[in-house]
Amino acid sequence: MAQHIEIEPITRIEGHGKITISLDDRGEVTDAQFHVTQFRGFEKFCEGRPFYEMPSLVERICGICPISHSIASAKACDAILGVRIPEPAVKLRRLLNCGEYIQSHALSFFHLSAPDLLLGMDSDPAKRNVLGLLEANRDIALDGVRLRQIGQQIIELFAGKRIHPAWVVPGGVNKPLSEDNRNMMMDLLPEAYEITSRTLTWFKAALENYREEIRTFANFPTNFMGLVNQEGNLEHLDGTLRFMDAKGRFLADGVDPAKYQDYIGEAVEDFSYLKSPYYKPLGYPDGIYRVGPAARLNVCNGCGLTKSDQEWAEFTRLERGPVMSSFYNHYARLIEILYSIETMEKLLNDPDILSTHVRAHAQPNHYEGVGVVEAPRGTLIHHYKVDEEGLITWANMIVATGNNNLAMNRGVLQVAKRFVHGDKISEGALNRVEAVIRAFDPCLSCSTHALGRMPLKIQLLGPDGAILHEAR
């Protein structure tokens, strides 16, 4: 008799969801689905609001990556104004974004995933958390806390507070950087370098312990998408979109982000409120693609900075062609932290960074604007339309977690087929099914703009749909 497993909630991710796994009469996995069950409604909340409120308004979508939402939103508003923002403001936005990358990637790597990596996938679940990590390896746990703190301090030195700052505005930023704050940021960089360097050393040495997870954590051919700059190097804030197939061939390159709808379709499945974007020329679901840290390192020609380029070169040698296993997102996050620190060092030494020319002023000159950035979890798109008064009449947001939705579903199925057998799900299998989701570092609050708490669980279902086992 076929059966179903339900896992709810999925632990150590940002937000809440559910996984169901279907079994056949022999107890073998036939299907698996990742459900995001919250109501998605933030775009509708924005309708009727003045466009210039949007960068601060959309920060409330998420407490982890409010900077990414505010910058994507401000870029859409820049397009509505029809202005070219001052170059110092571009650099200041980029610096602020570096602070977010450091704190967000540190949170994902040290707090959410390191318990699996250091304590083991089969370790006692009561200790498989940041407190268990602190007990097992105090130095690494404290490194994670400190690195995240550095990222948050950088955000605070720019914007006055660590969460939901109202510093990024249409046309630029609302305040220049002071010399004192620049110097305090410079003082943080040596320690950030030291922590990142020793973390890279132990993580690369530990990779050999996770060959089975590397082989099964969403390790299959897909397409990839990310922003690149004019040289084709890694880009987090500007540039053009590049689409790559599983063999490393460019499907599309130099794509103007404002024309994303020519390349990205948005499908909806009845089991989830999270949209399933796909590469439109290949159709649905063949147009499955991945975004995020590993995808960005796959599509770019390099990082354009000395230390991170050395790590990028090592990353690209992991596999022939694009790196397919989503387990390597953990490695890519550390490389992007290093890239963010190097970018900060370069920009903070630029005399232009203390310029007071940080904002362009104008009235709305266009009825539509698109802003695209690379959030820590992947490509983030904000698209607005306004009326003659500058009030929002329509908004569309495609967040990183949505871009990865098809890949996450396929990844859950791959791991379930490898580790789940019979009508009960073992603790080790449960953790691996959750861990493949954690490798993507999804933010379900971002992706659905949820109201309230919605826990995530795994359900094991029989062929008649009956719940045979539930794990939370």
Side-chain angles (χ1 to χ4, degrees), residues 86-89 92 173 175-177 350-358:
E87 191 59 27
L92 289 171
V173 298
K175 185 179 178 183
L177 176 64
D350 184 341
D352 201 29
I353 207 65
L354 297 179
S355 170
T356 57
H357 182 41
V358 295

Side-chain angles (χ1 to χ4, degrees), residues 190-212:
E191 186 181 7
Y193 270 130
E194 290 173 12
I195 294 173
T196 306
S197 176
R198 60 176 170 256
T199 305
L200 276 163
T201 298
W202 75 252
F203 177 73
K204 288 186 286 187
L207 280 176
E208 193 58 40
N209 301 328
Y210 292 94
R211 288 298 161 198
E212 189 65 15

Side-chain angles (χ1 to χ4, degrees), residues 57-72:
L57 195 60
V58 297
E59 284 190 342
R60 271 64 187 178
I61 291 173
C62 181
I64 303 298
C65 54
I67 305 303
S68 297
H69 281 291
S70 69
I71 296 176

